[in-house]
Amino acid sequence: MKKVDKASVSIRTLLGAALASAMLVGSLALTGCGGTSSGEAADAAAETEVAPEEVAEEFAQALFDGDGETMWNLMSPEMRDAALEQEDMTEEEAIDELSDMGKSNMGSVEDYIDSIEVTEQGSTDLNEDEIADLVEAYDSDYDIQINVSAAKEVDLEVKLVLNSDGEDLIGDNLSDDDLTTDVSLVVVQIDGQWYVEPTGMSM
């Protein structure tokens, strides 16, 4: 698992690694090297048992779709409460912030993309030492005490689907592999429910 240094519970830093990944994926098409989500579906995920791989896939799709409500609902209640306290925001303001960050980081790339598709490719269990490190980081860096019973690193495939303008810009020089990249995202189980560990996204 890639170790991510955490300094605060700022909304802006919570998704720093994830948004950096979004920018890299977006620039892939421009340099020539999804589906949809709903906040209601994510809210239901917090109330019913959902596979950890599905949680990771939904969060990543929401990131690229600029769906702040889904991203927010797929983070643990402890993380959400700490973020609101640190940023002095309402929940509605936090969701708007996440939505705006996701959209703004895609920039002009949106003009050339029809959709961004995220597909789960498997997962790996974190061992006891890795989970202990994660819990300790939440305590020391966030002052959040959580009881993580399990954690997984989920591998995701992110594919750009170009629109007609994108096809015209790039032509036939790219294969599907050129428009596809791999992303990993950590999810944790707290009180029987799976949530995203938002700073644990890497490429």
Side-chain angles (χ1 to χ4, degrees):
M1 182 185 68
K2 180 179 179 181
K3 184 175 177 61
V4 179
D5 293 329
K6 308 178 180 72
S8 71
V9 197
S10 165
I11 290 294
R12 294 168 183 82
T13 58
L14 272 177
L15 293 177
L19 291 173
S21 296
M23 294 170 67
L24 285 171
V25 172
S27 66
L28 182 65
L30 292 185
T31 57
C33 325
T36 59
S37 302
S38 70
E40 291 181 358
D43 200 29
E47 298 177 1
T48 60
E49 185 174 350
V50 179
E53 293 82 5
E54 184 178 344
V55 170
E57 182 179 272
E58 187 172 3
F59 181 89
Q61 187 69 65
L63 168 66
F64 294 113
D65 290 344
D67 183 354
E69 184 174 2
T70 292
M71 286 187 279
W72 182 252
N73 287 327
L74 290 175
M75 291 188 284
S76 70
E78 294 86 354
M79 179 64 79
R80 296 197 300 256
D81 289 345
L84 292 180
E85 182 177 355
Q86 168 126 0
E87 287 290 291
D88 192 24
M89 284 182 171
T90 65
E91 182 171 313
E92 183 177 358
E93 290 170 335
I95 291 172
D96 288 343
E97 179 88 4
L98 293 177
S99 298
D100 291 343
M101 287 174 64
K103 293 173 183 176
S104 65
N105 276 278
M106 292 309 294
S108 60
V109 175
E110 285 185 319
D111 296 337
Y112 303 98
I113 296 175
D114 182 58
S115 64
I116 299 178
E117 299 177 350
V118 179
T119 308
E120 177 261 319
Q121 299 292 307
S123 63
T124 303
D125 292 333
L126 270 63
N127 60 40
E128 292 183 2
D129 290 339
E130 290 172 321
I131 293 175
D133 289 343
L134 185 63
V135 171
E136 182 180 356
Y138 268 74
D139 188 12
S140 61
D141 298 338
Y142 294 158
D143 194 25
I144 300 174
Q145 288 72 48
I146 56 174
N147 181 21
V148 176
S149 55
K152 290 178 176 284
E153 185 170 35
V154 181
D155 296 323
L156 305 166
E157 180 185 85
V158 180
K159 180 179 180 180
L160 300 181
V161 179
L162 302 178
N163 59 22
S164 57
D165 289 337
E167 294 284 359
D168 291 340
L169 175 69
I170 296 172
D172 299 323
N173 298 323
L174 296 181
S175 66
D176 284 345
D177 288 343
D178 294 321
L179 295 172
T180 303
T181 192
D182 296 323
V183 172
S184 64
L185 186 61
V186 174
V187 293
V188 295
Q189 189 177 48
I190 302 173
D191 295 332
Q193 300 295 333
W194 287 96
Y195 301 99
V196 169
E197 204 294 278
T199 61
M201 189 173 192
S202 61
M203 296 182 67

